[in-house]
Amino acid sequence: VVYLVVFHLSFFMFVWSYWKTIFTSPASPTKEFCLSKADKEQYEKEERPESQQEILRRAAKDLPIYTTTASRAIRYCDRCQLIKPDRCHHCSACDICVLKMDHHCPWVNNCVGFSNYKFFLLFLMYSLLYCLFVAATVLQYFIKFWTNELPDTHAKFHVLFLFFVAAMFFISILSLFSYHCWLVGKNRSTIETFRAPTFRNGPDKNGFSLGCSKNLREVFGDEKKYWLIPIFTSLGDGCNFPTRLVIMDPEQLTVSSQNEPAKSSGASQPFPTRPLSESQNRLLTSDCQWVESGSEEENVKSGSQNRSISPVPC
């Protein structure tokens, strides 16, 4: 009885998670990130990149965006004709901009992003448990096969095939699931692992990391009883993300940006400095303020010019 209950439960959760991963549409940016009709017409008429960037900077001044391109330009999608929110990327397969895009998965024929990343993780976890369960139940017959204790029937080849398939899928999915667990702990996407987001102080792979506990809550939500159920509980709206690099007083950002020497013409461009409010993400409701500590040891380890951020006790 226990065997049947565990088997059916694991299979049901596996199918449910897989279904949600496939049929959950990727979340796209809201209308506030689209250019107005006048700005769009003016943008299309301009031929100089500098003039186009000026139009984008005016449109983005009130938007909660904190990342730019590597050349310090506003991230804009010519295909979708909108300013890209932080962590948003255009998927060539889906032909849309996907919020917090992780990757386009051919196994589910869908983009994995903000709207279905939790479902994708649960799909990996339950498929991993399902393969482990199948391999464990067939193991005793597999051992009998090698010790010649299994009756000489056609079923023994089925047992051999089933064990090897379950074991190989278990090993493959385990590596993928472990990698994504590491990404959740660091609050990174697959894209951000290979190309770090660029903030005011430069590229920083850990720019969105708030600590392992808060990173986990950002994906799975506040209530732990819903973590293992494939229902949407992720925090935020996919357009605004709390980051340790900008959770500070706007005046501090303005002063520091004015004192920071311009390394190029792009570096001196105005940068959106509107901080996230507590109402936009519950992860900020109990946070302390963050200030720059200027630790040189982390700079050496990270190999970047970003200054480290440390919390001030409340």
Side-chain angles (χ1 to χ4, degrees):
V1 177
V2 176
Y3 172 85
L4 292 176
V5 171
V6 174
F7 176 81
H8 286 94
L9 181 61
S10 60
F11 182 74
F12 172 74
M13 297 300 290
F14 162 73
V15 173
W16 189 7
S17 302
Y18 188 49
W19 178 275
K20 293 286 287 186
T21 305
I22 294 176
F23 292 101
T24 300
S25 301
S28 300
T30 56
K31 293 182 179 180
E32 65 174 332
F33 291 91
C34 298
L35 293 179
S36 63
K37 185 177 180 180
D39 288 339
K40 189 181 299 183
E41 292 178 353
Q42 187 178 0
Y43 179 86
E44 293 174 352
K45 291 179 181 178
E46 293 290 347
E47 297 181 357
R48 295 186 307 163
E50 296 80 4
S51 300
Q52 291 180 332
Q53 276 297 306
E54 183 63 31
I55 297 173
L56 295 179
R57 284 196 299 271
R58 288 201 309 266
K61 65 180 181 179
D62 293 326
L63 296 177
I65 59 174
Y66 304 100
T67 59
T68 63
T69 64
S71 60
R72 300 288 182 164
I74 300 296
R75 299 171 65 244
Y76 181 75
C77 179
D78 292 305
R79 183 75 175 179
C80 299
Q81 295 184 330
L82 54 81
I83 297 173
K84 294 180 182 179
D86 293 340
R87 318 185 80 176
C88 175
H89 299 276
H90 185 86
C91 176
S92 57
C94 298
D95 197 26
I96 58 173
C97 283
V98 180
L99 296 178
K100 196 187 176 183
M101 179 179 174
D102 188 87
H103 68 288
H104 184 88
C105 182
W107 297 104
V108 299
N109 192 30
N110 196 8
C111 255
V112 177
F114 174 76
S115 61
N116 62 350
Y117 189 59
K118 176 191 174 182
F119 306 146
F120 178 73
L121 291 173
L122 293 180
F123 158 65
L124 293 179
M125 185 186 73
Y126 285 120
S127 58
L128 185 68
L129 294 177
Y130 187 66
C131 290
L132 178 63
F133 182 77
V134 172
T137 53
V138 180
L139 181 60
Q140 57 177 326
Y141 302 102
F142 180 76
I143 295 175
K144 290 182 180 180
F145 171 80
W146 286 105
T147 57
N148 295 322
E149 296 179 10
L150 195 68
D152 190 13
T153 61
H154 294 291
K156 65 180 183 180
F157 296 104
H158 298 163
V159 170
L160 184 66
F161 175 78
L162 186 61
F163 178 81
F164 272 112
V165 169
M168 286 188 296
F169 269 97
F170 174 80
I171 295 174
S172 301
I173 297 174
L174 178 62
S175 60
L176 182 60
F177 180 66
S178 301
Y179 172 69
H180 279 279
C181 286
W182 178 78
L183 289 180
V184 172
K186 296 290 185 179
N187 203 342
R188 300 179 194 170
S189 65
T190 301
I191 296 177
E192 292 167 352
T193 301
F194 293 97
R195 186 173 66 250
T198 302
F199 294 88
R200 178 176 55 85
N201 293 331
D204 188 353
K205 289 184 177 181
N206 297 318
F208 292 105
S209 180
L210 304 174
C212 187
S213 177
K214 287 186 174 64
N215 295 341
L216 194 65
R217 287 168 50 200
E218 188 172 309
V219 176
F220 290 95
D222 289 325
E223 301 188 43
K224 295 183 179 180
K225 61 182 179 180
Y226 297 124
W227 281 12
L228 301 181
I229 304 176
I231 57 177
F232 185 81
T233 56
S234 301
L235 301 182
D237 58 3
C239 297
N240 305 323
F241 292 95
T243 166
R244 64 189 182 92
L245 299 180
V246 294
I247 304 176
M248 56 180 66
D249 188 80
E251 295 182 359
Q252 294 179 357
L253 290 174
T254 304
V255 173
S256 60
S257 61
Q258 292 176 353
N259 295 335
E260 187 177 288
K263 298 180 180 179
S264 61
S265 59
S268 60
Q269 297 175 355
F271 196 86
T273 57
R274 192 182 77 175
L276 290 171
S277 64
E278 294 183 356
S279 60
Q280 290 173 324
N281 198 302
R282 282 173 286 172
L283 290 174
L284 302 182
T285 55
S286 60
D287 279 357
C288 304
Q289 287 187 333
W290 296 83
V291 296
E292 301 179 359
S293 62
S295 173
E296 297 180 357
E297 295 180 359
E298 291 189 4
N299 293 341
V300 175
K301 293 180 181 179
S302 61
S304 65
Q305 296 179 351
N306 297 332
R307 287 172 291 182
S308 64
I309 309 297
S310 61
V312 174
C314 295

